[in-house]
Amino acid sequence: MPPFPSRTGEAPSRLRVQVVDYHTAGEPFRIVTGGVEPLRGATILEKRRDALERLDRVRQLLVYEPRGHADMYGCHVVEPNNDGADLGVVFFHNAGYSTACGHGTIALVTWALEEGVVPGPRVVVDVPSGRIETWARVEEGRVRSVRFRNVPAFVWGRGLRAAGREVDVAFGGAFYASCAERVEPTELPRLVELGRAIKRDLEARHEIVHPDEPELRDVYGVIFWQDEPGEPLTQRNVTVFADREVDRSPCGSGTSARLALLDLPIGAELRHLSIVGTEFRGRVVEHAEGGVVTEVEGSAFCTGSAEFVLDPDDELGTGFLLR
């Protein structure tokens, strides 16, 4: 990788990026707070393209080893599309830039309120898939949880065959395939490979594209789920997404996709558990053309802050990924 730019005659300078780390229901989220020039573009989707084309080494620096790991997730905080929103965000992970991230939205809003970036408790966020309204539950000056109202979720297809399984596909800000399987930590190696095979088969056989925005396309994640015995409206899941990345949380946008598939009455609450036992609570709040509007609630906690440095003499550059 070429060195970072410097003025003629000077040695290349070190890149320094400041971050704050959170987790939402166990899933990491790294928020860029300094050291990176603003993303360019009039809309979030344009800023997302700019991140890929011009600043992808920042994503690599923060996600790849030795500063991150294959299951790291994060974001750039950007200006919203217009004055109707408080924040904008571009999400990133081990394979690029997602169009939606529920756990990241919860962490971002928690950070923005705790740091006084926005007053709250209502915070409107522009994400690549659209505009999201959120509400924080604040007690004694602390953010206890964040509930977000997602973009409309809808069923794309039911009863599809992929990798020898029957799967359903739904949109919850991104496209997710859902497949009933046993969800236990010991099953993870098998589920990761099965998730890759399902995604590959679905994309080979179908063109999965949002009807209104062609940039929202393809299978982002595969949700493996099981009903919890004796517990009504309770499911356990694990989502495999990006390049074999495993969501430790119940997956926020995936929860919206599951709600679309479950066809629940308005107000009925789904208790959605993760593979590590943490939970989100989701419900359908209204019907939309061809789908439903959902709300998902969860909690995020600060885990630390850091300044990550890339020395121009470091032969590993922005890093590597091992699986």
Side-chain angles (χ1 to χ4, degrees):
M1 173 169 290
F4 289 93
S6 63
R7 290 187 292 272
T8 303
E10 293 185 358
S13 60
R14 293 180 175 182
L15 176 69
R16 299 178 181 273
V17 180
Q18 293 80 45
V19 303
V20 174
D21 279 5
Y22 276 72
H23 84 82
T24 306
E27 176 72 356
F29 195 67
R30 180 161 284 171
I31 303 169
V32 177
T33 59
V36 179
E37 61 182 287
L39 295 179
R40 301 170 184 169
T43 68
I44 301 299
L45 284 175
E46 290 177 4
K47 292 180 174 72
R48 178 174 176 257
R49 289 193 291 270
D50 184 55
L52 171 62
E53 294 167 1
R54 200 170 52 85
L55 294 176
D56 197 49
R57 58 190 176 184
V58 174
R59 177 190 66 85
Q60 295 170 8
L61 181 79
L62 299 179
V63 172
Y64 290 4
E65 298 179 49
R67 301 165 189 86
H69 52 81
D71 296 295
M72 179 55 70
Y73 215 114
C75 81
H76 295 283
V77 185
V78 301
E79 290 294 319
N81 288 339
N82 54 50
D83 293 339
D86 301 292
L87 295 169
V89 59
V90 171
F91 301 113
F92 55 75
H93 49 66
N94 72 7
Y97 301 85
S98 60
T99 59
C101 180
H103 94 272
T105 299
I106 292 169
L108 175 67
V109 170
T110 301
W111 164 80
L113 292 173
E114 290 182 340
E115 294 298 318
V117 177
V118 295
R122 176 181 176 269
V123 181
V124 180
V125 186
D126 280 338
V127 306
S129 58
R131 178 158 290 177
I132 292 178
E133 193 172 9
T134 78
W135 298 267
R137 180 168 61 88
V138 182
E139 296 176 357
E140 299 178 350
R142 292 193 60 191
V143 179
R144 299 297 181 178
S145 68
V146 172
R147 170 171 50 95
F148 67 89
R149 180 169 293 189
N150 206 357
V151 299
F154 60 88
V155 177
W156 188 88
R158 293 185 186 270
L160 307 175
R161 297 297 296 180
R165 300 298 198 279
E166 183 174 290
V167 302
D168 303 320
V169 175
F171 180 83
F175 284 103
Y176 292 90
S178 283
C179 179
E181 288 282 336
R182 184 167 178 262
V183 179
E184 297 290 346
T186 55
E187 296 290 323
L188 265 181
R190 179 181 69 86
L191 295 178
V192 167
E193 294 310 311
L194 180 56
R196 294 182 71 196
I198 289 173
K199 172 182 168 67
R200 182 175 59 247
D201 280 8
L202 284 174
E203 291 181 347
R205 299 177 186 182
H206 306 278
E207 186 177 15
I208 301 173
V209 184
H210 194 284
D212 299 324
E213 176 49 69
E215 207 162 325
L216 308 179
R217 62 184 302 120
D218 301 329
V219 176
Y220 173 58
V222 178
I223 302 172
F224 297 105
W225 64 273
Q226 66 179 39
D227 288 318
E228 289 294 279
E231 299 186 46
L233 285 182
T234 302
Q235 293 185 344
R236 185 177 301 273
N237 86 94
V238 64
T239 301
V240 179
F241 66 99
D243 183 9
R244 294 176 291 171
E245 194 159 343
V246 175
D247 198 333
R248 274 73 172 158
S249 83
C251 188
S253 52
T255 298
S256 291
R258 291 294 303 152
L259 287 166
L261 287 165
L262 289 171
D263 195 26
L264 297 177
I266 290 177
E269 186 173 76
L270 171 68
R271 183 169 173 249
H272 218 199
L273 306 179
S274 75
I275 196 167
V276 299
T278 54
E279 72 175 57
F280 289 159
R281 291 185 179 268
R283 65 175 192 245
V284 174
V285 294
E286 63 184 67
H287 294 288
E289 184 177 356
V292 293
V293 176
T294 67
E295 290 183 356
V296 179
E297 184 170 5
S299 300
F301 301 90
C302 185
T303 58
S305 59
E307 179 179 78
F308 290 105
V309 177
L310 176 58
D311 191 307
D313 295 327
D314 186 345
E315 62 182 11
L316 290 177
T318 53
F320 55 89
L321 290 177
L322 284 180
R323 275 294 186 188

